[in-house]
Amino acid sequence: MSWIGTIIVSLLAGCIAGLITRGKGLGFIWNLIVGLIGGSIGGALVELFGLHRGHTFWPQLIVSTLGAVVLLWVWGLITKRRMR
């Protein structure tokens, strides 16, 4: 996937993770950052369990969203904010 495709997937993953954990988006820049970091976390989790993370849109979106949700959940624990 190209770097533009990665940015688009990261933005979508950050938006979806924001909707899942807080019920609203976090804003364009934060969604992008959370999605990019989440993609790295999700990729590491998938590889840890010995699974293959595809290089097409849907597998990348699922893995990035999973990682972003984990990131926001941990962030919520650290900041002691209640997450919905």
Side-chain angles (χ1 to χ4, degrees):
M1 185 173 292
S2 70
W3 63 273
I4 293 173
T6 300
I7 289 173
I8 291 169
V9 168
S10 298
L11 181 60
L12 288 172
C15 289
I16 293 168
L19 291 171
I20 290 171
T21 59
R22 297 177 187 240
K24 59 181 178 174
L26 303 172
F28 180 80
I29 299 298
W30 282 111
N31 285 338
L32 182 59
I33 292 169
V34 167
L36 286 170
I37 296 171
S40 299
I41 292 171
L45 289 173
V46 166
E47 290 178 13
L48 179 69
F49 291 111
L51 302 171
H52 175 70
R53 73 184 232 199
H55 295 289
T56 59
F57 178 78
W58 290 110
Q60 287 286 57
L61 181 62
I62 292 168
V63 168
S64 295
T65 301
L66 172 70
V69 167
V70 169
L71 173 65
L72 290 175
W73 178 72
V74 170
W75 179 258
L77 291 177
I78 292 171
T79 61
K80 298 185 191 244
R81 293 183 184 169
R82 182 177 175 196
M83 301 187 75
R84 297 182 198 185

